[in-house]
C-alpha cells in the first residue's frame, strides 16, 4: 500500500552500495492498460484468422479447381476423341505432375487404340486377299476357265498362306497375354542355333544359300521354346532376303547390363533407315515378305524376355538383326 493505493513493485540491491532500488506502479494504471491491450490482442487474433481463412480458401480453390476439371476429363475420356483444348495444363506442382501423367497416359491409350484399329483393318485386308483368291479359283474350276490341277494348286498355296497367317496371329495373341508362363531352362545357344540352321538347310539349299553359326557356346537360362521361335523367324526372314549367305553370330556381353547377343547377318540388299524403323510393324512385308507378322512376333518375344531387338547394317552388306539380352 502506498498512500492508500495498491501497487505492484519490485526491488533490487545495488552491488557495493548501501542502497536498494524500488520500482512500483499503481494497480489502477495497469488495469487502465489491460482493456486496450486485450482489445488489440482480440483484434489481432480476429484479423489473423480472417487472413488465414482467406488464404486457405484461395489455396483450396486453386487445388480443387484443376482436380475437378481432371475428374471430369477422366470421366469423359474417349480414346477416339481429341483432348479438350480447355483441359488444364501440366506444371511443376504435384497437381500439375498428376495432370501431366494423365496427358501421357491418354496419349499412350490413343496410340494403342489407333494401333488396334489399324491392326484389325490390316488383318481384314490380309485375310480377305487369299480368301477371295480361293473363292475365285473355285468358281474358275466350276466354270472350267482353268484346269482343275492348276486351280487346286493355287488354292493349296493360298490355304497354306491363311493357315500360316492365323497361326502367327494366334502366336501374337498368346505373347500379349502376360499371364502365360514361360518355363526357363538351361540351354547352349550354339546348339540351339545349329538346330535352327539344320531345319532351314533344305530351303536354303534350293537357293544355294550358305548357313553357318559363328561364336563359342554360351550356356544361358532362358525360356527355350520362345527364344528358338524368335531365332527361327529371324533366320527365315534372312534366308528370304539374302543373296548367298546367312550367318548367326553369338557373343557374350561386354557390359554389366548386356548378358549376351545374337546377330543374324545376311548379304542381301539391306534396309533403308525408314524401312529399318518400320520393319517390326505388324503386316509390314517389304519386298519378299509373306505374312508380315514374323518380325512383329520376334519383337514381342524380345520384349517379354527383357531384351531388345534392333535392325542395323550388316558387315556382310545386307541387314543385321541383333537380339540383345539384358540383365533380368
Amino acid at each position: 500500500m502506498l498512500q492508500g493505493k495498491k501497487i505492484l513493485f519490485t526491488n533490487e540491491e545495488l552491488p557495493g552500495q548501501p542502497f536498494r532500488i524500488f520500482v512500483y506502479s499503481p494497480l489502477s494504471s495497469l488495469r487502465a492498460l489491460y482493456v486496450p491491450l486485450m482489445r488489440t490482442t482480440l483484434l489481432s487474433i480476429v484479423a489473423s484468422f480472417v487472413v488465414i481463412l482467406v488464404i486457405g480458401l484461395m489455396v483450396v480453390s486453386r487445388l480443387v479447381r484443376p482436380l475437378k476439371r481432371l475428374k471430369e476429363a477422366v470421366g469423359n475420356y474417349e480414346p477416339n476423341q481429341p483432348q479438350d483444348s480447355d483441359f488444364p495444363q501440366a506444371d511443376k506442382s504435384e497437381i500439375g505432375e498428376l495432370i501431366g501423367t494423365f496427358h501421357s497416359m491418354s496419349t499412350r491409350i490413343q496410340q494403342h487404340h489407333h494401333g488396334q484399329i489399324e491392326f484389325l483393318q490390316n488383318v481384314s485386308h490380309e485375310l480377305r486377299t487369299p480368301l477371295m483368291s480361293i473363292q475365285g479359283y473355285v468358281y474358275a474350276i466350276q466354270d472350267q476357265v482353268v484346269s482343275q490341277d492348276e486351280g487346286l494348286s493355287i488354292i493349296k498355296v493360298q490355304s497354306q498362306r491363311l493357315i500360316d497367317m492365323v497361326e502367327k496371329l494366334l502366336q501374337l495373341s498368346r505373347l500379349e497375354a502376360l499371364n502365360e508362363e514361360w518355363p526357363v531352362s538351361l540351354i547352349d545357344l550354339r546348339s540351339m542355333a545349329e538346330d535352327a540352321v539344320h531345319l532351314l538347310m533344305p530351303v536354303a539349299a534350293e537357293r544355294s544359300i550358305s548357313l553357318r553359326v559363328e561364336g563359342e557356346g554360351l550356356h544361358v537360362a532362358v525360356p527355350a521354346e520362345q527364344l528358338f521361335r524368335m531365332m527361327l523367324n529371324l533366320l527365315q526372314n534372312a534366308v528370304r532376303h539374302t543373296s548367298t549367305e546367312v550367318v548367326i553370330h553369338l557373343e557374350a556381353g561386354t557390359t554389366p547390363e548386356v548378358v549376351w547377343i545374337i546377330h543374324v547377318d545376311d548379304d542381301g540388299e539391306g534396309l533403308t533407315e525408314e524401312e529399318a524403323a518400320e520393319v517390326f510393324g505388324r503386316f509390314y512385308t517389304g519386298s519378299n515378305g509373306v505374312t508380315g507378322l514374323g518380325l512383329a512376333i520376334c519383337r514381342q518375344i524380345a520384349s517379354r524376355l527383357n531384351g531388345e531387338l534392333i535392325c542395323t547394317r550388316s558387315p556382310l552388306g545386307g541387314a543385321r538383326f541383333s537380339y540383345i539380352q539384358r540383365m533380368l
Side-chain angles (χ1 to χ4, degrees), residues 4-280:
K5 297 180 179 180
K6 293 182 179 180
I7 63 172
L8 288 177
F9 71 94
T10 183
N11 66 89
E12 186 69 29
E13 185 177 351
L14 296 176
Q17 299 293 331
F19 303 105
R20 182 179 294 271
I21 296 177
F22 284 84
V23 177
Y24 68 93
S25 176
L27 285 177
S28 58
S29 300
L30 293 176
R31 290 192 184 98
L33 293 174
Y34 176 77
V35 174
L37 181 62
M38 287 297 297
R39 186 184 299 114
T40 304
T41 302
L42 290 174
L43 289 175
S44 300
I45 292 174
V46 171
S48 300
F49 176 77
V50 171
V51 171
I52 293 173
L53 180 62
V54 171
I55 294 175
L57 290 175
M58 291 175 61
V59 171
V60 170
S61 175
R62 186 175 180 181
L63 292 176
V64 170
R65 189 182 301 114
L67 281 176
K68 289 180 64 177
R69 293 172 63 187
L70 178 61
K71 178 184 176 182
E72 293 175 359
V74 172
N76 299 327
Y77 176 74
E78 293 290 342
N80 58 344
Q81 297 293 334
Q83 289 187 9
D84 189 355
S85 59
D86 192 39
F87 191 80
Q89 298 300 312
D91 53 37
K92 294 184 179 179
S93 65
E94 293 183 357
I95 301 298
E97 291 179 357
L98 178 62
I99 293 172
T101 301
F102 176 74
H103 274 298
S104 176
M105 179 193 70
S106 63
T107 300
R108 292 197 300 271
I109 292 175
Q110 285 180 341
Q111 291 175 347
H112 180 73
H113 179 71
H114 293 156
Q116 290 293 95
I117 292 176
E118 183 180 358
F119 176 65
L120 289 174
Q121 291 173 344
N122 289 336
V123 168
S124 301
H125 173 74
E126 294 297 329
L127 292 177
R128 186 167 178 260
T129 301
L131 284 173
M132 290 184 65
S133 179
I134 291 172
Q135 185 184 46
Y137 274 93
V138 168
Y139 290 146
I141 292 173
Q142 289 178 341
D143 297 337
Q144 298 182 350
V145 176
V146 298
S147 65
Q148 184 173 346
D149 291 340
E150 181 183 357
L152 290 177
S153 176
I154 299 297
I155 291 173
K156 179 181 178 181
V157 171
Q158 295 300 323
S159 299
Q160 187 60 48
R161 181 185 175 189
L162 273 175
I163 292 172
D164 293 341
M165 191 178 302
V166 171
E167 175 62 28
K168 289 188 175 181
L169 286 171
L170 290 174
Q171 289 180 16
L172 269 178
S173 65
R174 287 196 298 267
L175 290 173
E176 292 178 349
L178 299 179
N179 57 346
E180 180 184 10
E181 293 186 2
W182 290 1
V184 175
S185 58
L186 185 65
I187 56 104
D188 183 354
L189 278 183
R190 184 177 180 90
S191 296
M192 177 179 284
E194 290 173 347
D195 290 342
V197 166
H198 290 154
L199 281 176
L200 293 178
M201 194 67 74
V203 178
E206 292 180 0
R207 296 182 51 202
S208 300
I209 294 172
S210 169
L211 294 178
R212 69 177 188 274
V213 181
E214 294 181 352
E216 300 296 328
L218 298 173
H219 291 85
V220 298
V222 293
E225 179 183 349
Q226 286 72 23
L227 182 63
F228 184 75
R229 184 188 304 165
M230 178 176 65
M231 189 181 295
L232 197 62
N233 282 342
L234 292 176
L235 273 175
Q236 289 173 334
N237 181 73
V239 168
R240 281 196 297 268
H241 295 88
T242 194
S243 298
T244 60
E245 63 177 330
V246 175
V247 178
I248 302 181
H249 183 73
L250 311 173
E251 64 179 60
T254 56
T255 65
E257 294 80 15
V258 178
V259 185
W260 43 269
I261 304 174
I262 300 175
H263 299 294
V264 178
D265 295 301
D266 66 69
D267 63 347
E269 296 181 358
L271 298 171
T272 64
E273 292 184 3
E274 292 77 12
E275 290 173 331
E278 299 176 359
V279 72
F280 295 106

Side-chain angles (χ1 to χ4, degrees), residues 285-309:
T285 56
S287 57
N288 296 323
V290 181
T291 63
L293 294 171
L295 291 178
I297 290 173
C298 290
R299 171 154 284 189
Q300 192 72 20
I301 293 175
S303 177
R304 287 285 303 273
L305 294 177
N306 193 41
E308 182 181 8
L309 186 61

